[in-house]
């Protein structure tokens, strides 16, 4: 203990070197702590952005799943009667009957949604694709790639940053007829299925 006190009171410059060494050690430790804190701040910022991207994609996927697939596309024919002329002998109308194609329609209304309108445009006989963005206030922009296969099955890929999810809809066509007055083909899409990653 006396040796340390004597060194500190010494006038030969050794105490100055010890103080300088202690000062450099403190500066080194301080810079290491500051560097670690800065690196951590960058990681937190990046993690916040990644979390926002994930939440935006998940919200968009739920929105798409809950909003689409509620329409039915109907096409077919009905048994109809129509007048072709007047019988000159009796003055009575001459009638014919037969199957006539109906104009395809959407139900419950003609507005439709993305699935039904794409199917209506293509008749399900060709592939269809489109892309668009989904954006809300203070949320990252989500890009959407819509792909309808021949036959009507749909995959909607949603992506923001490094995250992506796919919402899939399976097309079902049912034949509805009474064999006397109507013969319809009704196409619908049940609830969507959400999967992580690109489809």
């Amino acid at each position: 203990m006396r040796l340390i006190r004597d060194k500190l009171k010494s006038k030969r410059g050794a105490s100055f070197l010890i103080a300088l060494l202690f000062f450099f050690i403190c500066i080194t430790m301080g810079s290491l702590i500051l560097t670690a804190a800065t690196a951590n701040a960058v990681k937190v910022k990046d993690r916040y952005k990644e979390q926002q991207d994930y939440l935006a994609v998940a919200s968009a996927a739920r929105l798409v799943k809950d909003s689409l697939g509620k329409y039915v596309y109907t096409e077919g024919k009905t048994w109809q009667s129509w007048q072709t002329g007047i019988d000159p002998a009796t003055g009575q109308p001459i009638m014919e009957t037969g199957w006539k194609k109906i104009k395809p329609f959407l139900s419950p209304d003609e507005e439709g949604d993305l699935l039904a309108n794409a199917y209506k445009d293509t008749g399900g006989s060709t592939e269809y694709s489109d892309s668009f963005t989904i954006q809300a206030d203070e949320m990252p922009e989500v890009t959407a790639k819509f792909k309808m296969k021949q036959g009507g099955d749909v995959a909607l890929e949603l992506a923001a940053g490094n995250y992506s999810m796919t919402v899939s809809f399976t097309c079902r066509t049912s034949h509805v007829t009474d064999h006397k007055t109507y013969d319809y083909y009704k196409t619908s899409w049940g609830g969507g299925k959400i999967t992580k990653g690109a489809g």
Side-chain angles (χ1 to χ4, degrees), residues 20 52 65-66 75 83-84 86 95 110 170 194:
L20 193 59
Q52 291 300 308
K65 180 183 182 293
D66 294 343
E75 60 186 339
Q83 182 177 334
T84 59
I86 303 280
M95 302 296 289
E110 277 297 312
T170 302
I194 299 174

Side-chain angles (χ1 to χ4, degrees), residues 184-198:
Y184 294 151
Y185 289 91
K186 294 182 173 263
T187 302
S188 62
W189 298 263
K193 178 183 174 188
I194 299 174
T195 54
K196 290 184 179 180

Side-chain angles (χ1 to χ4, degrees), residues 1 12 19 26 28 33 44 52 78-79 108 134 144-145 151 154 183:
M1 181 82 156
R12 293 181 11 193
C26 288
T28 304
I33 291 170
V44 167
Q52 291 300 308
T78 58
W79 188 262
I134 301 170
K145 294 180 183 175
V154 171
D183 187 26

Side-chain angles (χ1 to χ4, degrees), residues 40-171:
N40 240 358
V42 169
K43 283 181 185 178
V44 167
K45 184 179 177 185
D46 289 345
R47 206 160 271 200
Y48 177 77
K49 183 185 176 336
E50 288 174 2
Q51 184 181 37
Q52 291 300 308
D53 289 342
Y54 173 78
L55 292 173
V57 170
S59 294
R62 280 192 303 275
L63 173 70
V64 166
K65 180 183 182 293
D66 294 343
S67 301
L68 299 181
K70 300 190 183 319
Y71 283 85
V72 177
Y73 175 79
T74 304
E75 60 186 339
K77 55 191 176 182
T78 58
W79 188 262
Q80 298 180 14
S81 299
W82 61 94
Q83 182 177 334
T84 59
I86 303 280
D87 185 348
T90 63
Q92 295 292 319
I94 300 172
M95 302 296 289
E96 286 193 32
T97 58
W99 290 104
K100 279 203 169 184
K101 281 191 169 195
I102 62 167
K103 179 182 174 188
F105 63 92
L106 296 173
S107 55
D109 57 54
E110 277 297 312
E111 185 178 311
D113 63 10
L114 185 61
L115 304 178
N117 289 330
Y119 190 85
K120 186 177 181 181
D121 290 345
T122 64
S125 60
T126 59
E127 291 186 0
Y128 177 84
S129 63
D130 194 7
S131 60
F132 53 92
T133 58
I134 301 170
Q135 190 169 13
D137 294 339
E138 299 181 27
M139 286 184 69
E141 187 174 274
V142 176
T143 58
K145 294 180 183 175
F146 177 87
K147 295 177 188 172
M148 179 177 276
K149 297 178 184 176
Q150 185 176 353
D153 289 347
V154 171
L156 190 60
E157 182 184 322
L158 305 163
N162 293 328
Y163 292 98
S164 64
M165 290 185 178
T166 301
V167 184
S168 305
F169 294 89
T170 302
C171 177

